[in-house]
Amino acid sequence: MYQSTRNPECKASAKQAVLQGIAPDGGLFVDSTLGKEKIDLDRILKQNYLENAAMILESLLDDYLREEIEEAVKNAYSGTFASEDITPLVKVGDHSVLELFHGPTSAFKDVALTLLPQLMSKALAGTGEKVLILTATSGDTGKAALSGFQDVENTGICVFYPHGKVSAIQQKQMASQKGNNVSVTAIEGNFDDAQSEVKRLFLDEDLNKKAAEKGIRLSSANSINIGRLVPQIVYYFEAYKDLVKQGAIQPGQKVVYSVPTGNFGDVLAGYYASLLGLPVEKFLVASNANNVLYDFLSSGTYDRNREFVSTISPSMDILISSNLERLLYYMSGKDEAKIAGWMKDLAEKGSYQVDEKTLENIQELFVPFWSDDDKTRQTIDEVFRETGYVLDPHSAVAYRAAMEYGKPAVVLSTASPYKFSQDVLEALDETESDEWKALKKLSGINPQQVPVNLAELEEAEILHSRVVNRPEMAEVVEEMMEKMG
Ligand SMILES: *Cc1c(COP(=O)(O)O)cnc(C)c1O
């Protein structure tokens, strides 16, 4: 059973939580008994990714049947990832890089966004209801969501992105998306315009009435959904399994994980893994120049009142790390009233301060680091010269944290360097002003091949080319509702 971080009476089953996303009181869904039952580590070491994923998900998603989970996992991960290991672990210098970017769109978000739609579809089966996902994207997540929901039963998805404000590759990735239940639209304006209109549409009475008449529920696929969080626990165990297999550690030995962090979902999944029995020494929380988490983990004061910095690791350019609320819930001793108070302070003042005991609990396990763009570029360059391995800017921030911590770590790598070819080339003292040419130029330097989905992209057929003004977004959604039935 799940409940809100802010109120124990606000409850939901796993299926309800997956469909609702956020709790009705604005809190996040958590399982208060998480960690009572441990995952059998010996079994993890013997099983493959799909078996481990099914085992872990089954222990966390109470009202899903074993068969439902097995089928969801199979649909998500069979034949969709470029590596049979799904998330291979590669030795790079003193550290091990956990490559999370071999999914269908070369995004780390693929790991979770291939599985969430399957979990939603299972939760809807037999209810007669359908779900329509509305998403505003600044580039990356939109494609991973489109690909995950493509032709999944009982679901549809509308993605909106700011016209002319995403990269050429991101734009082409979305514009070439196949599927009968997908819609991709550029809007005149910036990302915030797209985002705030999507938020407004969720509350639009007329639209919701029309949706209800068709048995359609409007929903989002954002990273606070437990259906996105839970799949991420799996690769922490997988990395551990691979370290044992490679002879780098003995079973039971504690491991350091370094995580490039934005919304705190990825590193929180690691914490969940540790509650489930994964032997963890420390989590290195690696931020870019938006170092609000560095300050929080150092001082206990979370303060979003600061300048937003645009960096070369844009998926970590975040001032409110939503999933941190879940860590606070567990670290405060599951004190819902405290969480509600801190989140109220955050909403009203933009800051809050946790008590000493909570901070101590957090600091026992989490160590913060941050790198600005210069340090990140240096790291890409240094690691390449010393090992021949090419890191993307997000992964480089985490690799840097591991270097500074000074012990061998598992570094989570969240993007293929080919998705950020121009910035990576620049870090390696090369330049190329055309994105497609940069991709090819980088492939001449990087021993790792260009992922097939990116290599084929330039020639892919454009299927979506509509550009609308903000007031027309509702019509786009209505059209998709018509199509869904
Ligand atoms: C989303 C993302 C992150 C940050 O993950 P969080 O779960 O938001 O902390 C890091 N790197 C890349 C490439 C991402 O897309």
Side-chain angles (χ1 to χ4, degrees), residues 107-109 140-141 223 228 232 259-268 293 313 315-316 318 321 323 392 394-395 413-415 420:
F108 136 72
K109 305 252 179 338
D140 219 31
T141 314
S223 77
R228 273 188 67 177
Q232 299 188 65
V259 189
T261 299
N263 210 21
F264 211 79
D266 198 2
V267 69
L268 181 80
L293 281 169
S313 45
S315 298
M316 295 154 65
I318 282 175
S321 292
N323 269 302
D392 100 287
H394 302 78
S395 314
S413 173
T414 50
F420 300 92

Side-chain angles (χ1 to χ4, degrees), residues 129-203:
E129 233 191 337
K130 293 178 182 174
V131 154
L132 176 52
I133 303 295
L134 308 185
T135 302
T137 182
S138 53
D140 219 31
T141 314
K143 176 61 184 184
L146 284 164
S147 165
F149 280 95
Q150 175 191 341
D151 295 327
V152 174
E153 235 181 307
N154 299 321
T155 73
I157 177 166
C158 295
V159 168
F160 300 95
Y161 68 92
H163 185 47
K165 296 199 172 64
V166 303
S167 79
I169 289 178
Q170 287 171 336
Q171 201 260 339
K172 190 70 188 274
Q173 274 192 310
M174 291 190 277
S176 61
Q177 178 64 45
K178 295 188 178 122
N180 286 317
N181 62 340
V182 306
S183 130
V184 178
T185 312
I187 74 140
E188 297 293 359
N190 57 29
F191 170 64
D192 283 335
D193 295 323
Q195 171 103 315
S196 47
E197 181 63 9
V198 164
K199 282 189 178 159
R200 197 196 64 74
L201 289 175
F202 279 122
L203 303 171

Side-chain angles (χ1 to χ4, degrees), residues 177-467:
Q177 178 64 45
K178 295 188 178 122
N180 286 317
N181 62 340
V182 306
S183 130
V184 178
T185 312
I187 74 140
E188 297 293 359
N190 57 29
F191 170 64
D192 283 335
D193 295 323
Q195 171 103 315
S196 47
E197 181 63 9
V198 164
K199 282 189 178 159
R200 197 196 64 74
L201 289 175
F202 279 122
L203 303 171
D204 186 295
E205 264 178 45
D206 183 46
L207 194 69
N208 275 287
K209 191 161 152 261
K210 284 179 182 152
E213 280 164 10
K214 292 186 160 22
I216 294 173
R217 176 203 285 261
L218 300 180
S219 188
S220 69
N222 64 29
S223 77
I224 48 111
N225 192 306
I226 61 159
R228 273 188 67 177
L229 193 54
V230 170
Q232 299 188 65
I233 299 170
V234 180
Y235 49 71
Y236 283 89
F237 280 100
E238 283 290 308
Y240 195 90
K241 175 180 91 180
D242 288 342
L243 285 175
V244 173
K245 268 194 186 160
Q246 293 168 7
I249 58 164
Q250 297 298 317
Q253 196 177 328
K254 287 187 173 179
V255 170
V256 178
Y257 290 88
S258 184
V259 189
T261 299
N263 210 21
F264 211 79
D266 198 2
V267 69
L268 181 80
Y271 175 62
Y272 279 21
S274 74
L275 289 178
L276 292 169
L278 182 71
V280 176
E281 182 180 316
K282 288 281 189 269
F283 290 107
L284 312 185
V285 179
S287 303
N288 62 26
N290 295 287
N291 54 5
V292 58
L293 281 169
Y294 179 88
D295 291 346
F296 170 69
L297 293 168
S298 310
S299 70
T301 299
Y302 193 101
D303 189 355
R304 65 150 302 181
N305 300 308
R306 61 181 73 206
E307 195 136 349
F308 177 87
V309 188
S310 291
T311 73
I312 58 170
S313 45
S315 298
M316 295 154 65
D317 292 348
I318 282 175
L319 291 182
I320 295 190
S321 292
S322 310
N323 269 302
L324 183 64
E325 182 172 343
R326 287 190 164 107
L327 181 71
L328 297 176
Y329 168 79
Y330 290 104
M331 290 295 190
S332 67
K334 303 173 191 171
D335 189 334
E336 294 91 353
K338 265 189 191 163
I339 308 300
W342 293 334
M343 292 307 127
K344 190 161 173 276
D345 285 348
L346 180 64
E348 287 170 4
K349 297 188 292 186
S351 70
Y352 60 88
Q353 159 110 47
V354 302
D355 58 274
E356 224 160 274
K357 183 67 194 146
T358 300
L359 180 61
E360 259 176 48
N361 290 344
I362 295 173
Q363 286 175 335
E364 248 169 60
L365 195 55
F366 294 86
V367 189
F369 291 88
W370 74 279
S371 293
D372 61 14
D373 282 351
D374 277 345
K375 215 162 84 157
T376 304
R377 287 192 198 96
Q378 264 173 31
T379 307
I380 294 172
D381 191 46
E382 214 176 295
V383 171
F384 177 64
R385 312 255 165 245
E386 282 172 17
T387 70
Y389 189 89
V390 179
L391 291 162
D392 100 287
H394 302 78
S395 314
V397 169
Y399 197 95
R400 183 69 186 207
M403 285 165 67
E404 290 181 6
Y405 187 64
K407 277 191 182 179
V410 171
V411 176
L412 277 67
S413 173
T414 50
S416 161
Y418 289 110
K419 292 195 75 177
F420 300 92
S421 298
Q422 287 167 309
D423 287 322
V424 171
L425 281 173
E426 201 179 306
L428 300 173
D429 277 330
E430 307 260 355
T431 47
E432 174 52 65
S433 56
D434 178 87
E435 266 186 73
W436 301 102
K437 284 187 187 147
L439 188 80
K440 290 188 190 99
K441 192 162 178 181
L442 185 58
S443 76
I445 298 172
N446 187 359
Q448 232 186 61
Q449 280 182 0
V450 182
V452 175
N453 75 82
L454 293 180
E456 290 175 346
L457 195 59
E458 200 175 357
E459 305 304 325
E461 191 188 346
I462 291 185
L463 303 171
H464 311 268
S465 51
R466 186 151 57 158
V467 185

